[in-house]
Coordinates of all heavy atoms in Angstrom, one line a residue:
M1 N -39.8 -23.0 36.3 CA -39.9 -21.7 37.1 C -40.4 -22.0 38.4 O -40.9 -23.2 38.7 CB -40.9 -20.7 36.4 CG -42.3 -21.2 36.2 SD -43.5 -20.1 35.3 CE -42.6 -20.1 33.6
R2 N -40.5 -21.0 39.3 CA -41.0 -21.3 40.6 C -42.6 -21.5 40.6 O -43.2 -20.9 39.7 CB -40.7 -20.1 41.6 CG -39.2 -19.9 41.8 CD -38.8 -18.8 42.8 NE -37.5 -18.5 42.8 CZ -36.5 -19.2 43.4 NH1 -36.9 -20.3 44.0 NH2 -35.3 -18.9 43.3
L3 N -43.0 -22.3 41.5 CA -44.5 -22.5 41.5 C -45.3 -21.3 41.6 O -46.3 -21.1 40.9 CB -44.8 -23.6 42.6 CG -46.4 -23.9 42.8 CD1 -46.9 -24.6 41.6 CD2 -46.5 -24.8 44.0
S4 N -44.8 -20.3 42.4 CA -45.5 -19.1 42.6 C -45.6 -18.3 41.4 O -46.5 -17.3 41.3 CB -44.8 -18.3 43.7 OG -43.4 -18.0 43.3
Q5 N -44.8 -18.6 40.3 CA -44.8 -17.8 39.1 C -45.8 -18.4 38.0 O -46.1 -17.7 37.0 CB -43.4 -17.8 38.5 CG -42.5 -16.9 39.4 CD -41.0 -17.2 38.9 OE1 -40.5 -18.2 38.6 NE2 -40.4 -16.0 38.7
V6 N -46.2 -19.6 38.3 CA -46.9 -20.3 37.1 C -48.3 -19.7 36.8 O -48.5 -19.4 35.6 CB -47.1 -21.8 37.6 CG1 -48.1 -22.5 36.6 CG2 -45.8 -22.5 37.7
D7 N -49.0 -19.4 37.8 CA -50.3 -18.9 37.5 C -50.4 -17.5 36.7 O -51.0 -17.4 35.6 CB -51.1 -18.6 38.8 CG -52.6 -18.3 38.6 OD1 -53.3 -19.1 38.0 OD2 -53.1 -17.2 39.1
A8 N -49.5 -16.6 37.1 CA -49.3 -15.3 36.4 C -48.8 -15.6 34.9 O -49.3 -15.0 33.9 CB -48.4 -14.4 37.1
Y9 N -47.9 -16.5 34.8 CA -47.3 -16.9 33.4 C -48.5 -17.4 32.5 O -48.5 -17.0 31.4 CB -46.3 -18.0 33.7 CG -45.6 -18.5 32.4 CD1 -44.6 -17.8 31.7 CD2 -46.2 -19.6 31.8 CE1 -44.2 -18.3 30.4 CE2 -45.7 -20.1 30.5 CZ -44.7 -19.5 29.9 OH -44.2 -19.8 28.8
M10 N -49.3 -18.4 33.1 CA -50.3 -19.0 32.2 C -51.4 -18.1 31.9 O -52.1 -18.1 30.9 CB -50.8 -20.3 33.0 CG -49.9 -21.4 33.1 SD -49.2 -21.9 31.5 CE -50.8 -22.6 30.7
R11 N -51.7 -17.0 32.8 CA -52.8 -16.2 32.6 C -52.4 -15.0 31.7 O -53.1 -14.3 31.1 CB -53.3 -15.6 34.0 CG -54.0 -16.6 34.8 CD -54.4 -15.9 36.1 NE -55.1 -16.9 37.0 CZ -56.5 -17.1 36.9 NH1 -57.2 -16.4 36.0 NH2 -57.0 -18.0 37.7
S12 N -51.1 -14.7 31.4 CA -50.5 -13.6 30.7 C -51.0 -13.7 29.3 O -51.0 -14.8 28.6 CB -49.0 -13.5 30.8 OG -48.7 -12.4 30.0
D13 N -51.4 -12.6 28.7 CA -51.8 -12.5 27.3 C -50.6 -12.0 26.4 O -50.8 -11.9 25.1 CB -52.9 -11.5 27.0 CG -54.2 -11.9 27.7 OD1 -54.4 -13.2 27.6 OD2 -55.0 -11.1 28.2
E14 N -49.4 -12.0 27.0 CA -48.2 -11.5 26.2 C -47.2 -12.6 26.4 O -47.1 -13.3 27.5 CB -47.7 -10.2 26.8 CG -48.7 -9.0 26.6 CD -48.0 -7.8 27.2 OE1 -46.9 -7.8 27.7 OE2 -48.7 -6.7 27.1
A15 N -46.4 -12.8 25.3 CA -45.3 -13.8 25.4 C -44.3 -13.3 26.3 O -43.9 -12.1 26.4 CB -44.7 -13.9 23.9
Q16 N -43.8 -14.3 27.2 CA -42.8 -13.9 28.1 C -41.3 -14.0 27.6 O -41.1 -14.7 26.6 CB -42.8 -14.9 29.3 CG -44.2 -14.9 30.0 CD -44.7 -13.6 30.6 OE1 -43.9 -13.2 31.5 NE2 -45.6 -12.9 30.1
Q17 N -40.4 -13.2 28.1 CA -39.2 -13.3 27.6 C -38.1 -13.9 28.6 O -38.1 -13.9 29.7 CB -38.6 -11.7 27.5 CG -39.5 -10.8 26.5 CD -39.5 -11.4 25.2 OE1 -38.6 -11.7 24.6 NE2 -40.8 -11.5 24.6
F18 N -37.3 -14.7 27.8 CA -36.3 -15.5 28.6 C -34.9 -15.2 28.0 O -34.8 -14.9 26.7 CB -36.5 -17.0 28.4 CG -37.7 -17.5 29.3 CD1 -39.0 -17.3 28.7 CD2 -37.5 -18.2 30.4 CE1 -40.0 -17.8 29.5 CE2 -38.6 -18.7 31.2 CZ -39.9 -18.4 30.7
D19 N -33.8 -15.2 28.8 CA -32.5 -15.0 28.3 C -32.0 -16.1 27.5 O -31.3 -15.8 26.6 CB -31.6 -14.7 29.6 CG -31.9 -13.5 30.3 OD1 -32.4 -12.4 29.6 OD2 -31.6 -13.4 31.5
D20 N -32.3 -17.3 27.9 CA -31.8 -18.5 27.1 C -32.7 -18.8 25.9 O -33.9 -18.7 25.9 CB -32.0 -19.7 28.1 CG -31.5 -21.0 27.4 OD1 -30.3 -21.2 27.4 OD2 -32.4 -21.7 27.0
R21 N -32.0 -19.0 24.9 CA -32.7 -19.1 23.5 C -33.6 -20.4 23.5 O -34.8 -20.3 23.0 CB -31.6 -19.2 22.4 CG -32.2 -19.4 21.0 CD -31.1 -19.5 20.0 NE -31.7 -19.6 18.7 CZ -30.9 -19.7 17.6 NH1 -29.5 -19.7 17.6 NH2 -31.6 -19.9 16.3
L22 N -33.2 -21.5 24.1 CA -34.1 -22.7 24.0 C -35.2 -22.5 24.9 O -36.3 -22.8 24.5 CB -33.2 -23.9 24.5 CG -34.0 -25.2 24.4 CD1 -34.6 -25.5 23.1 CD2 -33.0 -26.3 24.9
N23 N -35.1 -21.8 26.1 CA -36.2 -21.6 26.9 C -37.2 -20.6 26.2 O -38.3 -20.8 26.3 CB -35.7 -20.9 28.2 CG -35.3 -21.9 29.3 OD1 -35.7 -23.1 29.2 ND2 -34.3 -21.5 30.2
Q24 N -36.7 -19.7 25.5 CA -37.5 -18.7 24.8 C -38.3 -19.5 23.7 O -39.5 -19.3 23.6 CB -36.7 -17.7 24.1 CG -37.5 -16.5 23.5 CD -38.3 -15.7 24.5 OE1 -37.8 -15.1 25.4 NE2 -39.7 -15.8 24.4
Q25 N -37.7 -20.3 23.0 CA -38.4 -21.1 22.0 C -39.5 -21.9 22.6 O -40.7 -22.0 22.0 CB -37.4 -22.0 21.3 CG -38.1 -22.8 20.2 CD -37.0 -23.7 19.5 OE1 -35.8 -23.5 19.6 NE2 -37.6 -24.7 18.7
I26 N -39.2 -22.7 23.7 CA -40.3 -23.5 24.3 C -41.3 -22.6 24.9 O -42.5 -23.0 24.8 CB -39.7 -24.4 25.4 CG1 -38.6 -25.3 24.7 CG2 -40.6 -25.2 26.2 CD1 -37.8 -26.1 25.6
S27 N -41.1 -21.6 25.5 CA -42.0 -20.6 26.0 C -42.9 -20.1 25.0 O -44.2 -19.9 25.1 CB -41.4 -19.5 26.7 OG -42.3 -18.5 27.3
N28 N -42.4 -19.8 23.8 CA -43.2 -19.3 22.7 C -44.2 -20.5 22.2 O -45.2 -20.1 21.8 CB -42.2 -18.9 21.5 CG -41.5 -17.7 21.7 OD1 -41.8 -16.9 22.5 ND2 -40.4 -17.5 20.9
E29 N -43.7 -21.7 22.2 CA -44.6 -22.8 21.9 C -45.7 -22.9 22.8 O -46.9 -23.1 22.5 CB -43.9 -24.2 21.9 CG -42.9 -24.2 20.7 CD -42.1 -25.6 20.7 OE1 -42.7 -26.6 21.3 OE2 -41.1 -25.7 20.2
I30 N -45.5 -22.7 24.1 CA -46.5 -22.7 25.2 C -47.5 -21.5 24.8 O -48.7 -21.7 24.9 CB -45.9 -22.7 26.6 CG1 -45.1 -23.9 26.9 CG2 -47.1 -22.5 27.6 CD1 -44.4 -23.9 28.1
F31 N -47.0 -20.4 24.6 CA -47.7 -19.2 24.3 C -48.8 -19.5 23.2 O -49.9 -19.1 23.2 CB -46.9 -18.0 24.0 CG -47.6 -16.8 23.6 CD1 -48.3 -16.0 24.6 CD2 -47.6 -16.3 22.3 CE1 -48.9 -14.9 24.3 CE2 -48.3 -15.2 22.0 CZ -49.0 -14.4 22.9
W32 N -48.2 -19.9 22.1 CA -49.1 -20.3 20.9 C -50.1 -21.3 21.3 O -51.3 -21.3 20.7 CB -48.3 -20.6 19.8 CG -47.6 -19.4 19.2 CD1 -46.2 -19.2 19.2 CD2 -48.2 -18.2 18.6 NE1 -46.0 -17.9 18.7 CE2 -47.2 -17.3 18.3 CE3 -49.5 -17.8 18.4 CZ2 -47.4 -16.1 17.7 CZ3 -49.8 -16.6 17.8 CH2 -48.7 -15.7 17.5
L33 N -49.8 -22.3 22.0 CA -50.8 -23.3 22.5 C -51.9 -22.7 23.3 O -53.1 -22.9 23.1 CB -50.1 -24.4 23.4 CG -51.0 -25.4 24.0 CD1 -51.8 -26.2 23.0 CD2 -50.3 -26.3 25.0
K34 N -51.5 -21.6 24.1 CA -52.6 -20.9 24.9 C -53.4 -20.0 24.0 O -54.6 -19.9 24.2 CB -51.9 -20.1 26.0 CG -51.2 -20.8 27.0 CD -50.8 -19.8 28.2 CE -49.9 -18.7 27.7 NZ -49.6 -17.7 28.7
K35 N -52.8 -19.5 22.9 CA -53.6 -18.7 21.9 C -54.5 -19.4 21.2 O -55.6 -19.1 20.9 CB -52.6 -18.0 21.1 CG -51.7 -16.9 21.8 CD -52.5 -15.7 22.2 CE -52.8 -14.8 21.1 NZ -53.4 -13.5 21.5
K36 N -54.1 -20.7 20.9 CA -54.8 -21.6 19.9 C -56.1 -22.2 20.7 O -57.2 -22.3 20.3 CB -54.0 -22.7 19.4 CG -54.7 -23.7 18.4 CD -53.7 -24.7 17.9 CE -53.2 -25.6 19.1 NZ -52.4 -26.7 18.6
D37 N -55.8 -22.6 22.0 CA -56.8 -23.2 22.8 C -56.8 -22.5 24.1 O -55.7 -22.6 24.8 CB -56.6 -24.7 23.0 CG -56.7 -25.6 21.7 OD1 -57.8 -25.6 21.2 OD2 -55.7 -26.1 21.3
I38 N -57.9 -22.0 24.6 CA -57.9 -21.4 25.9 C -58.0 -22.4 26.9 O -59.0 -23.2 27.0 CB -59.3 -20.4 26.0 CG1 -59.2 -19.4 24.9 CG2 -59.3 -19.8 27.4 CD1 -60.3 -18.4 24.9
I39 N -56.9 -22.6 27.6 CA -56.8 -23.7 28.6 C -56.7 -23.2 30.0 O -56.2 -22.1 30.2 CB -55.5 -24.6 28.2 CG1 -54.2 -23.8 28.2 CG2 -55.8 -25.3 26.8 CD1 -53.0 -24.6 27.9

């Protein structure tokens, strides 16, 4: 993603939606990592 989007993405408490299935899967993994450990 664009650098300007990273901070909002990482601070969001909601899972982000992607059109691509693989991107969605990886984004979900990042989301659960953030939920498990506040980073």
